[in-house]
Amino acid sequence: MAANQRLAALMIEAGFLDRAGEIGRKRFARAVSESKAARTAGRSYNHTYVSRWLSGVTPRDDATREGIREALCTRLGRRIDADELGFRTLVTTSPDLGLAYPERPDDGVGNVAELLEADLTGAAAVAEAPTSVAAWNEASVAWLVGAQKQLSDGAGPRKVGMADVERLRTMRGTFDRLDSTFGGAHARTALVQYLRGELPRLLRARAEPDVRRALFVAAGEATQLAAWMSYDAGSHGLAQRYFIQALGFADAGGDRLLAASLLDAMSHQASFVGRHREAANLARAARLGTESMSVPILRSHFHIMEARALARLGEADACDRAMNAAVENFGSHVSGDGPEWIGYFDAAELAAELGHCQRDLGRPQEAVVHATTALASASGDYLRSDFFVAMVLADAHLDAGDVEEGCRVAAKALAVGEGLDSARCRGYVGEFRQRLTKHARSAAVRDFVEGARTSTLWTPNGQ
């Protein structure tokens, strides 16, 4: 059995090997030697080279890897991406990987395969990458103007059906529940490992047109979750790249609402990292791209994301207009009138978002009202979201001068959220910590800090 199973499978499919791997190694060596890449580099190969490649040895030069890919493409009559060859990555991951909106759906498949691989190997180029303002702007414009080419037919040896789509969606749902309950950092690597093994293979397989469209939409949803979990874990550059590629998948599958929700999610992240003007523009782009579609619950969320950004910018009048539009659209929606994935956005979630806005506008009393309403009506299914709004309530009490109540609410939130592994949660705690500095002489603050020392969320690095 070959150590490089991916390469062996391609060679079998192309007729260079039989199932036992006993024939065709010399023929494959000739095909690689005759490739444009090998001839340009002046390289030639024999069956010993092929045996090494199949045993797991990775060619160190680009020309050989490209020659292998070219030989297989020629024989199979279809595109083969570098990640399909099964070679261990030796080249430095490009810092621009995943930032460009894919011109073709197949480009997106290759981008995500490389991103997942780089993610799993801890490549610093993506694991430690900052966000790019230009990438947000370019992705939103590309989607709005319809820059992506049409979805092509799959060309892989395997055919997939709706059962494969449902399996992908079911697995996504499982990881989504883990994310909401324990934080993005808890099971993020497990999701990435699953997607690396399944997603490229499924998206490259043959399928009926309706199945292929549904598969790309499901891939968009799954990649979006990888983005959210990376964002929650604090890997913002990586999350941005997953969001952009998920946008391409949603576009390829023809799901305009999912695509708009991805811009909405990018707006959420942009606000969190302090790019508030870009956040407002991304939310507006989501709304602009779905103007012809009457889905009030989504319009409500687009407006409230814009409001969140405007509140941070201190633009009170514009923020008030956006909040009013969010409330108006929410009030006109009928339960179940939007996609299933927006079902979490209920009255409690809207109240929580309004609480965020009022806190950031310097209106603590209004923030207390909204945050209290959100907590009182929360379903309890989204522990992390409940933690966020509890910390907003604690902030608002401090801002209103009620130090003891602010500390009490924060202490309760820390106790409830102790099991959350989330950089965002620690970010909320960090904001509360900053507010406490103004009340350092308060006995209530000293008692709170002493009790909070044992909380993993209280310590800045989560240690």
Side-chain angles (χ1 to χ4, degrees):
M1 185 66 70
N4 189 337
Q5 295 296 314
R6 294 184 195 171
L7 179 60
L10 287 170
M11 289 177 64
I12 290 169
E13 182 190 350
F16 287 114
L17 291 179
D18 64 7
R19 293 286 174 182
E22 296 299 331
I23 64 170
R25 299 189 184 207
K26 291 183 179 179
R27 186 170 38 172
F28 185 61
R30 284 196 302 273
V32 177
S33 298
E34 292 168 1
S35 67
K36 180 179 178 181
R39 286 186 284 107
T40 300
R43 302 298 303 272
S44 63
Y45 312 93
N46 57 36
H47 67 283
T48 303
Y49 282 91
V50 178
S51 296
R52 288 174 182 167
W53 302 333
L54 288 169
S55 71
V57 174
T58 298
R60 293 187 175 276
D61 60 293
D62 293 341
T64 300
R65 291 192 296 273
E66 177 59 22
I68 294 169
R69 192 189 70 81
E70 186 182 329
L72 289 167
C73 288
T74 301
R75 185 65 172 261
L76 292 171
R78 64 177 174 88
R79 170 176 170 151
I80 302 291
D81 287 322
D83 68 278
E84 294 182 79
L85 300 178
F87 292 132
R88 182 169 55 90
T89 302
L90 293 178
V91 295
T92 302
T93 301
S94 168
D96 296 328
L97 175 62
L99 285 177
Y101 185 73
E103 292 186 6
R104 303 187 311 157
D106 289 341
D107 295 335
V109 178
N111 291 344
V112 168
E114 289 187 53
L115 266 178
L116 293 167
E117 189 71 26
D119 190 350
L120 289 173
T121 58
V126 295
E128 302 171 10
T131 54
S132 164
V133 171
W136 276 322
N137 295 336
E138 289 166 7
S140 60
V141 170
W143 175 68
L144 284 170
V145 302
Q148 193 179 75
K149 294 180 175 63
Q150 188 174 2
L151 182 63
S152 61
D153 295 333
R158 181 169 174 261
K159 186 172 183 179
V160 297
M162 276 304 206
D164 297 281
V165 176
E166 291 308 315
R167 185 173 66 252
L168 179 58
R169 284 185 168 147
T170 298
M171 287 299 293
R172 184 223 178 262
T174 298
F175 281 104
D176 188 33
R177 288 189 292 275
L178 290 171
D179 172 48
S180 298
T181 305
F182 301 110
H186 174 71
R188 197 193 74 82
T189 300
L191 173 64
V192 172
Q193 288 172 331
Y194 170 75
L195 294 179
R196 180 63 188 93
E198 290 291 311
L199 210 56
R201 180 177 61 83
L202 290 172
L203 293 174
R204 287 164 173 154
R206 291 178 292 111
E208 297 298 325
D210 60 331
V211 173
R212 193 152 167 77
R213 285 191 296 271
L215 188 57
F216 269 80
V217 171
E221 294 169 348
T223 307
Q224 180 186 41
L225 181 58
W228 272 114
M229 294 178 82
S230 299
Y231 165 21
D232 195 55
S235 296
H236 291 293
L238 179 58
Q240 181 187 36
R241 288 156 172 78
Y242 281 134
F243 275 134
I244 290 171
Q245 300 309 312
L247 177 66
F249 285 157
D251 192 12
D255 192 330
R256 200 144 186 91
L257 297 181
L258 176 61
S261 80
L262 279 152
L263 291 181
D264 186 64
M266 293 184 211
S267 171
H268 195 292
Q269 185 194 15
S271 275
F272 188 83
V273 300
R275 304 301 309 197
H276 307 302
R277 185 64 62 195
E278 289 77 15
N281 289 336
L282 285 162
R284 290 166 184 150
R287 195 168 71 248
L288 178 63
T290 53
E291 275 188 336
S292 62
M293 309 171 80
S294 181
V295 187
I297 189 70
L298 283 176
R299 284 204 304 273
S300 176
H301 203 279
F302 301 157
H303 278 295
I304 203 63
M305 283 300 100
E306 180 184 1
R308 285 277 299 266
L310 294 169
R312 287 286 195 176
L313 288 167
E315 298 181 8
D317 290 344
C319 181
D320 284 336
R321 287 193 294 273
M323 284 193 291
N324 290 336
V327 171
E328 181 181 352
N329 277 281
F330 187 88
S332 67
H333 96 280
V334 177
S335 181
D337 70 349
E340 182 180 352
W341 40 259
I342 196 62
Y344 78 94
F345 187 54
D346 55 12
E349 284 288 327
L350 176 60
E353 298 294 353
L354 293 169
H356 279 81
C357 293
Q358 299 290 10
R359 177 201 62 179
D360 294 339
L361 288 173
R363 302 169 182 169
Q365 298 296 349
E366 291 89 337
V368 167
V369 171
H370 287 301
T372 301
T373 298
L375 286 173
S377 55
S379 65
D381 294 334
Y382 302 99
L383 178 60
R384 183 178 51 205
S385 294
D386 294 344
F387 179 86
F388 292 157
V389 73
M391 293 309 300
V392 169
L393 179 59
D395 288 344
H397 280 304
L398 282 187
D399 292 347
D402 193 345
V403 178
E404 289 188 9
E405 183 64 8
C407 289
R408 186 194 70 80
V409 171
K412 183 177 179 181
L414 287 175
V416 171
E418 185 61 22
L420 289 164
D421 191 354
S422 163
R424 281 196 291 160
C425 287
R426 287 190 286 274
Y428 275 73
V429 174
E431 286 202 55
F432 183 74
R433 183 199 296 272
Q434 290 177 351
R435 281 177 162 82
L436 284 180
T437 58
K438 294 185 295 184
H439 310 284
R441 296 184 179 182
S442 166
V445 171
R446 290 197 298 271
D447 290 344
F448 167 79
V449 171
E450 183 61 31
R453 292 187 192 281
T454 58
S455 170
T456 56
L457 289 173
W458 176 252
T459 53
N461 60 0
Q463 299 296 319

